[in-house]
């Protein structure tokens, strides 16, 4: 079998090659690339003879997949897999695995980076102290006693819930399936939006979630609410969120994801919205997460080659 790792995985290339070669065995061919290329022509050239490919979060469309007659398996070195044409994979009998779990702690950490930065006005504090100012007008709330809402109770959502509990928050959650989680009260989405002071989004992007947080849903939020999106950009109506921030309808937002991968267009409404901290999709990107991801990729490849694929989506 020919296995192609289409881009760097965030650890040294020699480490990637050593781990992957051990996983696939000496009887299989391994090709790695030390550059990330997203254009169709390059993806076809790199993938065309592969039996299996590994990629992270760039689009892998039908045009590429149909140009790879030997392709049998795609390992998505990422949690979400909406950027891969899954319909085409199903048609062609191509199995797809993801690497869910590698970034659970990393993403949850960023959520609270946003929450604390917004609650305590850290960016404004940093600016004012450098200009000889004081704390006047910059006194913020504590997290203890705040109502913390989590939309989506998967691994990341539940990690966020545990941290919110540790801060002394009253934790609420919404998911399609209610769970019995100590310290978490499950409610309907509208009730969560109306009730919570802090709302963190943790659902996957699919046909049922795109546009889930629209102008109507944002209008339910409290005027002091903070909204955090480390999930996927298209789940939220960015223009409606920016309008709510600019009008003071909600108090602040932390946004790590957009409709497209960064670089984000300069005129994107959230880049110019009041009290909105934006980051370039770094939630998953820690040294430890990259190491965890490489291990899962290798486990996925070994299991697939052994005829018992794991982490299938």
């Amino acid at each position: 079998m020919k296995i192609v790792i289409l881009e760097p995985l965030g650890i040294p290339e020699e480490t990637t090659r050593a781990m992957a070669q051990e996983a696939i065995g000496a009887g299989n061919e391994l090709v790695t690339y030390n550059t990330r290329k997203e254009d169709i022509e390059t993806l076809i050239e790199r993938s065309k003879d592969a039996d299996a490919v590994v990629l992270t979060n760039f689009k892998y469309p039908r045009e590429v997949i149909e140009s790879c007659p030997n392709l049998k398996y795609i390992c998505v070195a990422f949690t979400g897999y909406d950027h891969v044409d899954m319909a085409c994979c199903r048609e062609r009998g191509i199995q797809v695995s993801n690497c869910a779990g590698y970034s659970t702690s990393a993403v949850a950490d960023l959520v609270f980076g946003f929450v604390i930065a917004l609650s305590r006005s850290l960016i404004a504090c940093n600016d004012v102290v450098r200009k000889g100012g004081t704390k006047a007008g910059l006194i913020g709330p504590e997290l203890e006693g705040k109502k913390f809402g989590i939309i989506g109770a998967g691994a990341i959502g539940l990690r966020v819930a545990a941290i919110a509990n540790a801060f002394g928050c009253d934790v609420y959650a919404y998911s399609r399936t209610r769970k019995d989680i100590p310290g978490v009260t499950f409610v309907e989405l509208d009730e969560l939006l109306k009730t919570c002071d802090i709302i963190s989004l943790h659902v996957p992007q699919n046909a049922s979630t795109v546009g889930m947080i629209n102008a109507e849903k944002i209008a339910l939020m409290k005027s002091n609410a903070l909204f955090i999106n480390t999930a996927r950009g298209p789940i939220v109506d960015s223009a409606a969120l920016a309008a709510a921030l600019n009008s003071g309808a909600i108090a602040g937002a932390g946004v790590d994801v957009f409709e497209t991968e960064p670089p984000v267009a300069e005129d994107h409404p959230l880049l110019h919205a009041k009290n909105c901290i934006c980051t370039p999709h770094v939630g998953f990107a820690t040294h430890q997460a990259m190491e965890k991801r490489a291990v899962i990729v290798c486990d996925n490849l070994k299991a697939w080659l052994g005829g018992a694929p794991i982490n299938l989506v």
Side-chain angles (χ1 to χ4, degrees):
M1 294 287 186
K2 181 176 181 178
I3 290 85
V4 180
I5 300 178
L6 292 170
E7 59 178 312
L9 295 181
I11 62 174
E13 184 181 10
E14 59 270 22
T15 304
T16 299
R17 285 196 61 85
M19 292 175 63
Q21 193 65 66
E22 181 179 358
I24 69 174
N28 295 298
E29 179 184 359
L30 175 67
V31 177
T32 62
Y33 289 93
N34 60 10
T35 58
R36 176 181 168 115
K37 299 290 185 180
E38 302 180 38
D39 62 282
I40 298 296
E41 293 76 14
T42 302
L43 290 178
I44 290 174
E45 180 61 29
R46 291 182 174 185
S47 307
K48 62 183 181 182
D49 298 323
D51 295 282
V53 297
V54 178
L55 58 96
T56 62
N57 62 337
F58 55 68
K59 288 189 179 298
Y60 204 67
R62 177 179 291 271
E63 185 177 354
V64 174
I65 295 169
E66 289 183 339
S67 299
C68 303
N70 299 332
L71 190 60
K72 306 171 187 66
Y73 179 69
I74 298 173
C75 177
V76 181
F78 218 65
T79 300
Y81 48 89
D82 48 280
H83 50 288
V84 174
D85 191 323
M86 295 298 294
C88 184
C89 290
R90 284 189 289 270
E91 291 169 15
R92 300 175 71 88
I94 297 169
Q95 294 180 309
V96 181
S97 291
N98 72 346
C99 291
Y102 79 94
S103 63
T104 298
S105 294
V107 174
D109 286 356
L110 182 63
V111 168
F112 286 90
F114 280 138
V115 170
I116 293 172
L118 290 164
S119 297
R120 301 302 298 271
S121 303
L122 294 189
I123 292 176
C125 285
N126 178 70
D127 291 342
V128 77
V129 76
R130 294 173 188 277
K131 297 173 183 176
T134 71
K135 67 180 181 299
L138 295 173
I139 298 175
E142 297 178 357
L143 296 187
E144 185 177 22
K146 288 288 180 288
K147 293 179 171 59
F148 199 114
I150 296 162
I151 302 174
I156 297 174
L158 293 180
R159 172 74 176 178
V160 170
I163 298 171
N165 272 317
F167 271 106
C169 298
D170 298 325
V171 181
Y172 297 79
Y174 164 77
S175 70
R176 290 180 301 177
T177 304
R178 294 197 177 196
K179 303 177 181 181
D180 184 13
I181 307 294
V184 180
T185 301
F186 279 78
V187 295
E188 293 302 314
L189 178 59
D190 286 3
E191 182 180 350
L192 183 148
L193 295 171
K194 293 175 182 177
T195 300
C196 292
D197 306 296
I198 302 161
I199 298 164
S200 191
L201 185 63
H202 299 288
V203 295
Q205 179 181 326
N206 54 44
S208 66
T209 62
V210 169
M212 176 184 189
I213 306 301
N214 54 23
E216 179 184 352
K217 297 300 184 187
I218 294 169
L220 298 175
M221 298 180 192
K222 299 161 70 170
S223 61
N224 70 320
L226 302 178
F227 178 75
I228 312 299
N229 185 10
T230 56
R232 285 290 185 272
I235 299 170
V236 180
D237 183 332
S238 293
L241 179 59
L245 290 163
N246 290 331
S247 69
I250 65 172
V255 177
D256 187 45
V257 286
F258 302 86
E259 291 77 7
T260 60
E261 287 296 313
V264 179
E266 292 182 4
D267 62 351
H268 193 285
L270 290 174
L271 300 186
H272 306 280
K274 293 179 182 177
N275 208 26
C276 184
I277 301 176
C278 297
T279 53
H281 202 179
V282 297
F284 67 95
T286 65
H287 298 302
Q288 294 91 334
M290 297 299 96
E291 292 165 0
K292 294 174 190 175
R293 179 173 72 175
V295 170
I296 299 172
V297 165
C298 292
D299 289 345
N300 284 351
L301 290 171
K302 185 176 181 177
W304 175 71
L305 286 166
I310 57 175
N311 298 318
L312 291 175
V313 295

